[in-house]
Amino acid sequence: MTRSRRQNNHDPSSSSSKMNSSRSVEHRRKNASIDDGEPSSAQQSESLLERHTFALDDDDDDDYENTKPASASLLDLPPQDLRNFAMLVLLYFLQGVPMGLAMGSVPFLLKSKLSYGEVGVFTLATYPYSMKLLWSPIVDAIWSPRLGRRKSWIVPIQATSAVMLIWLGRNVDKLMEEASEKLYSITFVFFTLVMLCATQDIAVDGWALTLLSPENLSYASTAQTIGLTAGHFLSFTVFLAFNAPEFADRYFRTVPTGVGIFTLSGYLRFWGWAYLFVTLGLALIKKEEKTNNRDGIVVVYKTMWKVMKLKHIQTFIIIHLISKIGFQANDAVTNLKLLDKGFSQEDMALTVLIDFPFEIGLGYYAGKWCAYFPPMTLWMWAFVGRLIAACLAHLTVWVFPRDGTVEPWYLLVVIAEHIFSTFTNTIMFVAISAFHAKISDPNIGGTYMTLLATVSNLGGTFPRIFVLKLVDALTIATCAAPPTKPFAPFSCALEGERHRCVDLGGVCTMERDGYYLTNVLCVVIGTVTFVTYIRPAAMRLSALPLRAWRDYNPGK
């Protein structure tokens, strides 16, 4: 068969359609079902892929004529795509609520009672997002035709999460009071909750590949960014602000009470009931497209293994595993270090609160930029920006007022640094999510997307506990006794010893702050790996045709 390659010139809509995954693969008719005798989208995709003359980087004339350009904005989406986009935002938002607690609020609340290394132990609770690849084939392979391929997992998982949130709301106060003794219990409870969210994420990622039209598939990453960011923001920024007594007394009360408006227990119970309400609506209202496309678990695992044997997938995995080392000290320690130095919880909440509109807006525009620029190019620009952000964070902590008084100028410095860090982080996240959606095979959408997302998350989580422990290990601080109550000097680098020093009336003097050394080490590693390996490899991967990411002979 002779193929002609069409040139898009400078038409942005044509460029965006080329960016979207499965442009020529997903020739599906919306609402097609097994009942009308039409082949499913997966069956059509497999048929196209098995044609030896078919190439995803070449479009024949018929394919080109039938391809629609991507919508220029959310308001231009077709009504069905717009409704499905809103549902995706809601589902990702629900995932973001527990994640905001596990990754944001709870570590902040624990920091006053635990050392950096002990807070690092709690970060193990976020690891399921970096382990979900292990069970993603099960989610792809086992489901009920009556309920639907994705709803079979989303509905029961959200119901179970609701019960856990309600239970945790009734018991969290006691757990937090005994944080040092119950650290592993707290970690286990949140680990289980995050595991449920991670499993739901597998199903939602796979559903996103079929809910939106092929030409508008890049908006799936926008939905993910807006939903997760909003959920994380609510459970991190809003909760911390309204949980802070100073914030509530200053802005919402005429008579100070010394307590916050929100409590952790009340917040957890509220979202437990909200989860139940949304789950009931999803189960009764949303209908899922019927399909007979079903592979056994062993087949899905074999397919996943074939994908992982592709050399460019292995290169991509290495990039993901090492790409976030350069930002780890900034991401994991900077905000905690500011609190350690005297930056109030109220000011921190205000900083992130101001940052939120920028994060949402940037997430939206980043999704649009991915339709005009190669996602990996944006990702590399953001990578450099995050290294710069880590250096700026270093300086921000360094110039913290010696007397501990946070003047307006310093608050503005922290806000500006936070916005820039968020800007680069958001661009990097949206760009890599768009690239994942672009190259993922809809035949195994949940598994393929999860494979890529898992290694991406793993690159950000596995170094964190080591970085936090390294800060403690490199910190040197000595507790000096007061003249009236002498005792032998001892190390007060850890939070427990620091509290003991204060209780004894001593003064804990910081001789070497491990944060600065750890941050410098991370930035140096990030710079070297980017120049020598990450950038050249990312450019090679970005130039590959889509067929190269799916040439693993599915089903054979």
Side-chain angles (χ1 to χ4, degrees), residues 78-198:
Q80 183 171 353
D81 276 2
L82 191 60
R83 289 192 298 270
N84 288 335
F85 176 87
M87 189 190 71
L88 286 173
V89 171
L90 176 61
L91 293 176
Y92 282 121
F93 171 81
L94 291 178
Q95 295 174 38
V97 170
M99 291 302 297
L101 292 172
M103 300 182 68
S105 295
V106 174
F108 270 83
L109 297 176
L110 289 174
K111 183 60 189 74
S112 62
K113 303 175 182 180
L114 305 176
S115 67
Y116 287 105
E118 290 172 321
V119 173
V121 171
F122 178 79
T123 63
L124 294 174
T126 65
Y127 272 42
Y129 260 83
S130 304
M131 300 165 56
K132 59 185 180 178
L133 177 64
L134 299 177
W135 62 89
S136 64
I138 299 175
V139 178
D140 255 0
I142 300 178
W143 43 277
S144 167
R146 176 177 298 181
L147 193 56
R149 183 174 187 178
R150 307 305 177 184
K151 286 174 61 179
S152 294
W153 288 92
I154 295 173
V155 170
I157 283 173
Q158 286 190 173
T160 305
S161 299
V163 174
M164 278 205 66
L165 287 168
I166 295 172
W167 176 87
L168 188 57
R170 295 176 178 175
N171 296 275
V172 71
D173 289 339
K174 184 177 180 181
L175 291 173
M176 295 296 287
E177 288 175 3
E178 305 172 358
S180 57
E181 293 81 13
K182 298 291 183 64
L183 174 60
Y184 289 96
S185 298
I186 298 172
T187 303
F188 175 77
V189 171
F190 276 94
F191 181 93
T192 304
L193 188 59
V194 172
M195 177 175 283
L196 292 172
C197 292

Side-chain angles (χ1 to χ4, degrees), residues 159-307:
T160 305
S161 299
V163 174
M164 278 205 66
L165 287 168
I166 295 172
W167 176 87
L168 188 57
R170 295 176 178 175
N171 296 275
V172 71
D173 289 339
K174 184 177 180 181
L175 291 173
M176 295 296 287
E177 288 175 3
E178 305 172 358
S180 57
E181 293 81 13
K182 298 291 183 64
L183 174 60
Y184 289 96
S185 298
I186 298 172
T187 303
F188 175 77
V189 171
F190 276 94
F191 181 93
T192 304
L193 188 59
V194 172
M195 177 175 283
L196 292 172
C197 292
T199 306
Q200 177 180 338
D201 190 60
I202 299 170
V204 175
D205 281 347
W207 206 2
L209 294 177
T210 56
L211 279 174
L212 299 178
S213 301
E215 65 272 10
N216 292 317
L217 196 57
S218 64
Y219 284 98
S221 64
T222 305
Q224 184 181 47
T225 302
I226 293 175
L228 288 176
T229 300
H232 191 278
F233 164 78
L234 191 65
S235 290
F236 182 20
T237 307
V238 174
F239 173 77
L240 276 186
F242 286 91
N243 179 256
E246 300 86 357
F247 185 88
D249 289 343
R250 177 181 296 183
Y251 297 105
F252 295 95
R253 299 188 181 116
T254 56
V255 179
T257 63
V259 296
I261 296 176
F262 289 170
T263 63
L264 183 57
S265 59
Y267 185 82
L268 288 166
R269 288 196 299 270
F270 169 82
W271 280 108
W273 290 109
Y275 257 68
L276 285 178
F277 177 78
V278 173
T279 302
L280 182 63
L282 181 66
L284 297 178
I285 298 175
K286 180 62 180 177
K287 302 299 181 182
E288 189 172 351
E289 180 180 337
K290 294 181 180 180
T291 177
N292 270 337
N293 181 27
R294 183 192 294 270
D295 290 324
I297 298 177
V298 175
V299 173
V300 178
Y301 272 106
K302 286 182 177 179
T303 303
M304 183 178 68
W305 179 246
K306 291 177 181 178
V307 173

